[in-house]
Amino acid sequence: MAQVLEFKLPDLGEGLTGAEIVRWLVEVGEVVAVDQPVVEVETAKAMVDVPCPYGGVVTARFGEEGAEVPVGAPLITVAVDGPADEDGPPAGERRSATDGSRADGSRAEDARAEGSGNVLVGYGTSAAPARRRRVRPGQPAPSAPVTSPTSVPSTANGRAATATAAAVGRASGAPDRAAEAVDGPVPVISPLVRRLARQNGLDLREMVGSGPEGLILRADVEYALRAAGTQAGKVRTPVAEPHPRVPQAPAPARVREPSQAHAPAVGAPAAPEAVRIPLKGIRGAMADKLSRSRTEIPDATCWVDADATELMRARDAMRRFAEERPRSPAAGGTKISVLALLARICTAGLARFPELNSSVDMAAREVVRHPAVHLGFAAQTERGLVVPVVRDAHTRNAESLTAEFARLTEAARTGTLTPADLTGGTFTLNNYGVFGVDGSTPIINHPEAAMLGVGRIVPKPWVHEGELAVRQVVQLSLTFDHRVCDGGTAGGFLRYVADCVEQPAVLLRTL
């Protein structure tokens, strides 16, 4: 006898409490294999394909695309093949597909089946799959059959005539002499089906569904109501629930219409309406993080203009050398990016000023200095601002940094960054010059202690060697947590970065 298992949204790790459904990968009635991805979700960190640990027929999906689903909420139910449960637990007991516990809180002792073994962060499927008590399709009712004013033909798709007759009897005002409720839970998975039946006064215990193992589907309830309306000569009006359920993740909602007393005159143009956009997904997580940074971190900012002419010449020299002497071992095969050169300068500066590569543990009242530099960089995507992290940036050269920046930027653009790519940073480099601006006072990426901002590199008048000249000038700004260091340390780091930008040969001293 088939079992109907409920698969819930697992804990995707990194303290995430929910996810947004981006795209369903399966349909109701579709056969899925073990570990087959069934839904694509977007968390506050990344896009994730969620695999189902069960193989069978999808009987229900929970949540529309764009809806927010909390961790532990059901995603789908799957009907899987299994042995009949002749001596199963009493009616009303069932186990969850994720925790293996029964409805009354007791643990099931007879778990023998093995799961798929597929593991996302924070959940596994090694425990035995849960089993739900089902109502046998052919189980007869102990009482006399329902009588109705007219006979009701059976349907071609196998929907039970008893359900239709019961609905007809109620709609026509005839006495309800339906069979007594079958012992055990009602074979319904979808809450929409229960709601539709409750609104129209239809007792689901009198129905035998057309789904797998007698599962009652929405089509069964709708057919019974249509048949009842046809036989009784009227259609029952659904009764509105006294307290309508409010969806968890509403679509952008419009402001309420003005009251009748303040309604505009007929023919007058309607006033523009405000649109509310939910803060969710990546944008919502970033909003929370930036708000926390502003609330907790006493930050300060210092900035300096630097002549980047020599840095740009050094980059052009590396490019020309690779083009003119491609077979040279020193030529390399990657075009070095300006961001990679600035990142290399930052890692050298953090080695001299380790106070800025730290975080604050207020619970222990300690400043934690990190031994490795995990360099984050701001990347703007269609889904919002993200900060991918280059691991162990202090051990990488300019070529390695260029390749890693390119890989993470492409992953951010396509939405394939993993939670590991977006966490664990210790210092952030923010190149807002790509937006065509010179300066900024960036917000520190909590719980880090500092962020270096880089403006656009543009030709400007500059005094060079005692004469006025046109040079490539860039503005550098450093925002730092005043709890980890004083202005002297922050100014020293910024001055070192500016000196390396103006004279890249300074880096040769530390190579």
Side-chain angles (χ1 to χ4, degrees):
M1 184 175 179
Q3 308 173 54
V4 178
L5 303 181
E6 187 179 77
F7 174 49
K8 300 179 180 180
L9 177 66
D11 180 3
L12 301 176
E14 297 294 339
L16 301 176
T17 59
E20 177 185 347
I21 297 176
V22 176
R23 181 167 58 98
W24 283 105
L25 305 179
V26 295
E27 299 290 340
V28 174
E30 183 176 340
V31 178
V32 295
V34 175
D35 295 342
Q36 176 179 335
V38 295
V39 64
E40 181 181 17
V41 301
E42 180 181 11
T43 70
K45 303 293 184 182
M47 304 278 285
V48 179
D49 287 344
V50 181
C52 178
Y54 312 122
V57 179
V58 178
T59 58
R61 298 187 321 192
F62 300 93
E64 300 296 331
E65 295 180 355
E68 289 279 351
V69 180
V71 170
L75 285 176
I76 63 172
T77 53
V78 181
V80 300
D81 293 331
D85 190 8
E86 298 292 346
D87 300 321
E93 289 188 0
R94 66 180 183 89
R95 292 181 300 176
S96 169
T98 55
D99 60 10
S101 61
R102 297 191 176 174
D104 60 359
S106 63
R107 299 292 298 178
E109 302 295 339
D110 58 348
R112 294 183 296 272
E114 293 295 330
S116 69
N118 191 334
V119 177
L120 288 176
V121 180
Y123 94 107
T125 60
S126 59
R131 178 173 302 177
R132 184 190 293 264
R133 290 277 295 171
R134 307 301 303 153
V135 178
R136 290 180 176 275
Q139 183 173 352
S143 302
V146 176
T147 59
S148 61
T150 58
S151 61
V152 181
S154 60
T155 61
N157 61 0
R159 297 187 178 91
T162 56
T164 307
V168 170
R170 280 187 299 276
S172 59
D176 188 357
R177 297 190 298 270
E180 295 180 4
V182 179
D183 185 24
V186 179
V188 179
I189 299 298
S190 173
L192 296 178
V193 174
R194 294 182 182 273
R195 179 181 178 183
L196 182 61
R198 182 172 65 250
Q199 289 179 340
N200 292 275
L202 182 62
D203 189 355
L204 293 174
R205 292 181 178 274
E206 300 175 359
M207 297 186 63
V208 178
S210 62
E213 297 301 322
L215 183 69
I216 299 176
L217 306 178
R218 181 174 181 175
D220 298 327
V221 176
E222 291 177 343
Y223 177 83
L225 296 176
R226 286 197 303 269
T230 301
Q231 297 295 333
K234 62 180 180 179
V235 178
R236 192 179 177 91
T237 303
V239 180
E241 291 188 88
H243 301 285
R245 191 173 304 166
V246 179
Q248 292 183 346
R254 297 180 180 271
V255 176
R256 292 185 302 174
E257 294 288 338
S259 62
Q260 187 69 24
H262 298 86
V266 178
E273 297 178 346
V275 176
R276 293 179 179 268
I277 302 175
L279 279 175
K280 60 183 181 179
I282 293 178
R283 186 172 296 277
M286 186 59 63
D288 294 337
K289 200 166 191 178
L290 296 178
S291 298
R292 184 178 182 183
S293 177
R294 279 298 193 204
T295 302
E296 296 184 7
I297 299 178
D299 57 356
T301 303
C302 54
W303 56 90
V304 65
D305 290 337
D307 181 2
T309 304
E310 297 302 324
L311 181 68
M312 301 305 292
R313 287 177 177 174
R315 176 173 174 267
D316 290 340
M318 287 186 282
R319 177 184 55 80
R320 288 196 304 270
F321 182 84
E323 292 175 353
E324 295 172 359
R325 304 177 61 180
R327 296 185 179 181
S328 172
T334 304
K335 183 179 179 180
I336 305 301
S337 67
V338 175
L339 187 63
L341 295 176
L342 292 171
R344 186 66 187 87
I345 293 173
C346 281
T347 57
L350 291 174
R352 288 175 171 261
F353 301 92
E355 297 91 338
L356 296 173
N357 191 52
S358 61
S359 58
V360 177
D361 184 353
M362 288 303 296
R365 299 192 67 82
E366 294 175 343
V367 175
V368 182
R369 290 188 183 178
H370 304 292
V373 178
H374 301 314
L375 186 67
F377 66 99
Q380 190 71 36
T381 69
E382 294 180 357
R383 298 181 179 90
L385 179 66
V386 295
V387 184
V389 177
V390 177
R391 303 286 171 182
D392 298 314
H394 63 292
T395 65
R396 299 175 181 266
N397 56 26
E399 286 187 352
S400 176
L401 289 168
T402 297
E404 188 66 0
F405 281 140
R407 183 188 73 83
L408 292 173
T409 300
E410 178 62 19
R413 186 185 66 81
T414 57
T416 57
L417 287 171
T418 66
D421 293 330
L422 293 165
T423 55
T426 61
F427 185 90
T428 297
L429 178 61
N430 186 2
N431 180 22
Y432 44 75
V434 297
F435 302 118
V437 298
D438 296 326
S440 174
T441 54
I443 301 176
I444 296 175
N445 187 25
H446 185 279
E448 298 171 12
M451 176 185 291
L452 179 69
V454 182
R456 60 176 180 166
I457 302 176
V458 293
K460 287 184 178 180
W462 190 268
V463 177
H464 177 66
E465 296 180 351
E467 295 184 358
L468 187 63
V470 177
R471 306 285 286 182
Q472 300 291 320
V473 180
V474 61
Q475 184 179 102
L476 306 172
S477 60
L478 177 71
T479 299
F480 64 98
D481 187 342
H482 228 312
R483 296 174 297 180
V484 304
C485 68
D486 296 327
T489 300
F493 171 83
L494 187 59
R495 186 66 259 171
Y496 176 83
V497 171
D499 290 343
C500 290
V501 168
E502 293 182 343
Q503 297 293 334
V506 173
L507 285 175
L508 295 175
R509 296 175 60 89
T510 58
L511 292 180

